[in-house]
Amino acid sequence: MDKLIITAAICGAEVTKEDNPNLPITPEEIALEARKAEEAGAAIIHLHVRDEDGQPTQSKERFAEVIEAIESEGVTAIIQPSTGGAAGMNWKERIQPVYLEPEMATLDCGTTNFGDEIFVNDLPLMRNFAREMRDLNILPELECFEPGHIYNALQLKREGLLTGHLHFDLVLGVPGAMPASIKNLLFMVEHLPEEATWTVAGIGRHELSLACHALVMGGHIRVGFEDNIYYSKGRLAESNAELVERIVRMAREVNREVATPAEAREILKIK
Ligand code: KMH
Ligand code: ZN
C-alpha cells in the first residue's frame, strides 16, 4: 500500500468566517495555515483564494500573491490551485491559475448540483482545461462528484488529453450530488482504472468516516475547512492542522505511513 497522501483543503470558496472564525482568508492567513497544515502532515495544499473583501476569486494575480506568501513560509507541499473556483464562475475566470504553471491543479470532471446551484463542467470546458494542463505539464487532480464523472475523465484519456498519471479526488456528500456513504465510496473506487490513485473528500460530518475507510483501503485523504468546519459534533475545528493531525494519528494506529511532499510527488509521478 502506498504511503498516505494527506491533502489539506484549507480555505475553499464557500465557507465564511461567520461559519468558522478560524478560516484563513488573507494571503498571510492562508500562508500560515498552509505551513501549519504541512507541519501537521499534509503533502498537498488544495488552494482557493479570496479577494480583499473575502469573496472567492480566480484572479491569476491573487493566486500568484498567495502562492508567493505560502512559499515564503517555507512550504514544500504540492500547491494545487482550484480551477473550480465557486459555482457560477465562467471558464475564463476559473482557468487563470493554470497559467502560473503549478505542479498540480484540479480538473472537475462533470456538471453537478452544488447545493442550490449548478456547478458547470461540460465536456468542452473539461477538454479545454485538460489540454492546457497537459501542455503546461500540470498534473490534474480529477475531481469526481458522481460515478459518471469518472467516465468523463476516461473519455478525456481516450482523446489523448490526459497523458500522465491518473489521480482522482472522489468528493462525496455535496448536497445534490452523490451522497457520502461507505457503499458509495466502494462503488466509485470499483469504477476506477487499476493504475489510478485516489483521494476521498467527505463533506461535513462524513469527512471522518470516509477518511477512516480510505486509510485501510489504500486511498488517500483530503480534510480541511473547504469540506468540513467541525472537529466533532458541535465543536468547530481550531485549524486545518488540527484536522490533519487527527488523520496522522489514525494512520499511525493502523501502521500506514504518511507521505512527505517529496514522497507524494513520487507516488503521483509528478516530474
Ligand atoms: N467550489 C466548488 C464549486 C475545485 O476546487 O476544483 C468547486 C470546487 C472544486 O471547489
Ligand atoms: Zn476546491
Side-chain angles (χ1 to χ4, degrees):
M1 205 180 272
D2 281 334
K3 288 190 180 181
L4 172 69
I5 301 173
I6 303 175
T7 298
I10 58 181
C11 174
E14 287 81 19
V15 191
T16 65
K17 286 237 191 230
E18 284 72 50
D19 299 324
N20 184 333
N22 303 316
L23 180 77
I25 294 277
T26 66
E28 297 69 29
E29 286 172 347
I30 292 177
L32 190 61
E33 196 73 5
R35 175 164 67 74
K36 289 185 176 164
E38 176 176 327
E39 283 168 0
I44 300 179
I45 304 295
H46 170 66
L47 188 64
H48 288 256
V49 299
R50 307 292 180 100
D51 65 17
E52 294 294 339
D53 299 324
Q55 297 303 311
T57 174
Q58 288 292 106
S59 149
K60 183 180 166 194
E61 292 68 34
R62 190 63 163 184
F63 265 100
E65 186 187 351
V66 175
I67 290 170
E68 198 186 317
I70 293 176
E71 286 171 350
S72 33
E73 281 289 336
V75 169
T76 63
I78 299 164
I79 298 174
Q80 179 198 81
S82 167
T83 66
M89 286 180 176
N90 68 42
W91 74 265
K92 280 192 180 153
E93 287 175 87
R94 285 171 49 186
I95 202 168
Q96 293 179 72
V98 157
Y99 299 108
L100 297 169
E101 302 187 27
E103 293 175 282
M104 214 177 177
T106 59
L107 173 55
D108 295 284
C109 290
T111 296
T112 180
N113 291 310
F114 201 91
D116 289 353
E117 299 179 283
I118 300 174
F119 180 38
V120 175
N121 296 286
D122 52 42
L123 270 166
L125 178 149
M126 291 173 56
R127 286 192 185 103
N128 185 13
F129 284 28
R131 187 178 302 108
E132 296 297 275
M133 290 191 212
R134 179 196 64 189
D135 294 350
L136 294 168
N137 193 30
I138 299 167
L139 179 71
E141 187 196 55
L142 305 164
E143 289 211 6
C144 295
F145 296 76
E146 10 194 299
H149 295 180
I150 295 171
Y151 289 88
N152 288 342
L154 298 180
Q155 160 112 11
L156 294 185
K157 182 165 169 63
R158 277 197 302 278
E159 293 178 12
L161 294 167
L162 298 177
T163 50
H165 177 65
L166 295 176
H167 181 65
F168 289 84
D169 181 25
L170 308 174
V171 184
L172 297 182
V174 169
M178 183 91 158
S181 70
I182 306 311
K183 218 170 170 179
N184 287 346
L185 175 63
L186 294 175
F187 183 80
M188 296 278 275
V189 171
E190 275 168 12
H191 287 77
L192 297 178
E194 206 154 306
E195 69 279 14
T197 50
W198 58 275
T199 291
V200 71
I203 303 301
R205 67 194 159 89
H206 303 287
E207 181 174 86
L208 185 58
S209 60
L210 292 187
C212 289
H213 283 77
L215 196 52
V216 290
M217 287 168 69
H220 303 283
I221 296 172
R222 176 170 117 171
V223 293
F225 289 166
E226 176 165 345
D227 303 332
N228 165 45
I229 54 171
Y230 289 98
Y231 185 81
S232 56
K233 192 166 187 222
R235 204 276 255 170
L236 290 171
E238 283 166 12
S239 63
N240 284 279
E242 189 182 34
L243 297 168
V244 173
E245 278 160 9
R246 173 166 56 189
I247 301 297
V248 171
R249 286 197 302 275
M250 284 165 30
R252 276 202 204 108
E253 289 297 327
V254 296
N255 295 327
R256 180 125 185 239
E257 286 185 68
V258 174
T260 62
E263 289 165 340
R265 287 184 177 90
E266 261 176 54
I267 294 166
L268 299 173
K269 303 180 176 55
I270 291 178
K271 291 165 222 125

